[in-house]
Amino acid sequence: MSEEKRKLSAIIVKNNSLLEEAINFSLDYIQGKIEETLKEIIDEKINQFKWEGDSEDVLEDGAWFASPAWRKKDEPADGEYDGFFSLEWTGDANPLVSHLVGYGDAGIRWLFESNTLSARPLRNVLSEQNAVIEELLKAGFRVEEKGKVLYLPVKIAESIVVDAFETGDTKELQEAVAESMQLLHDSETKLDLLVDAVRKRAEKI
């Protein structure tokens, strides 16, 4: 990254709410850098934790992972899963960097989903698993809309994003994403219980 690009990127991030037009002008460059940075660390952690998944569509809510134990019976790898997590970009902010720094209602999070249950029965499962959900909340997970959605926010300080573009070193930015994935890995035993509950509910449908 050239010195000129680093300085321009840092200015844009620091003045995010005031320089929307300038950000849009530089959108291709910044978006490409974010995509490259996230894909690298997500793939690294998927391999490290021996999960199944990929980061192919990381900017389109397409990055996902699941423990092999969460795969539906007789399904191949990358098939369907009773439970999995996908990376979701929330809010209506534009451009992408607004999500990284949590500007307004924008953000990124790991969302718990299922190929087995639709939204309503999955919501019922979450609302019934009070003990498990309580432990996950203590660990840093969040639930919204009366138990409808379980997710883990990815928290990235604005200063980390600024430094990444100012210096060209994305290590701290990747570490923030890696920390969220480490927490998901550390919570697998509790998440296994949720997936088991999903399977039991599916048997009744």
Side-chain angles (χ1 to χ4, degrees):
M1 184 191 303
S2 68
E3 180 70 13
E4 180 180 357
K5 285 183 177 180
R6 287 201 297 269
K7 289 182 178 179
L8 176 59
S9 299
I11 290 172
I12 289 173
V13 174
K14 289 177 180 177
N15 298 279
N16 184 54
S17 62
L18 302 176
L19 297 176
E20 184 173 350
E21 291 185 9
I23 292 177
N24 288 331
F25 178 76
S26 300
L27 184 59
D28 288 343
Y29 169 74
I30 292 178
Q31 183 164 302
K33 189 65 177 178
I34 292 172
E35 181 176 27
E36 174 188 332
T37 299
L38 295 184
K39 282 176 63 67
E40 182 178 1
I41 190 62
I42 290 173
D43 285 338
E44 177 185 317
K45 290 301 175 181
I46 286 175
N47 291 331
Q48 178 184 341
F49 299 140
K50 295 181 173 56
W51 289 334
E52 295 171 355
D54 66 55
S55 64
E56 185 63 29
D57 299 313
V58 68
L59 303 185
E60 302 294 335
D61 293 345
W64 67 278
F65 78 85
S67 164
W70 301 348
R71 197 191 313 153
K72 292 177 66 173
K73 185 178 180 181
D74 299 326
E75 281 287 320
D78 297 340
E80 293 195 338
Y81 294 79
D82 294 307
F84 65 95
F85 279 91
S86 63
L87 189 65
E88 182 181 49
W89 302 78
T90 63
D92 298 322
N94 183 39
L96 201 63
V97 71
S98 300
H99 295 267
L100 287 183
V101 300
Y103 177 70
D105 65 347
I108 54 177
R109 63 187 186 179
W110 290 106
L111 177 68
F112 181 71
E113 299 187 86
S114 174
N115 296 129
T116 307
L117 297 180
S118 58
R120 185 172 182 177
L122 180 59
R123 177 185 62 198
N124 291 337
V125 168
L126 296 177
S127 66
E128 293 167 358
Q129 298 299 309
N130 294 326
V132 176
I133 295 299
E134 184 176 346
E135 290 300 311
L136 290 172
L137 292 175
K138 290 178 182 178
F141 288 74
R142 297 289 181 268
V143 173
E144 68 176 27
E145 298 182 27
K146 298 181 179 180
K148 182 178 180 180
V149 175
L150 172 70
Y151 67 95
L152 178 68
V154 181
K155 300 178 181 179
I156 305 175
E158 181 176 322
S159 60
I160 291 177
V161 183
V162 172
D163 287 344
F165 285 105
E166 193 168 43
T167 66
D169 184 355
T170 60
K171 182 178 179 180
E172 283 192 274
L173 177 54
Q174 289 186 324
E175 286 178 350
V177 177
E179 285 178 7
S180 70
M181 298 184 77
Q182 181 66 55
L183 179 53
L184 287 160
H185 176 64
D186 293 342
S187 303
E188 273 194 60
T189 300
K190 299 181 184 68
L191 294 170
D192 286 343
L193 297 175
L194 281 186
V195 174
D196 286 343
V198 167
R199 287 170 174 156
K200 290 177 182 178
R201 173 56 65 93
E203 292 174 355
K204 298 177 180 179
I205 296 177

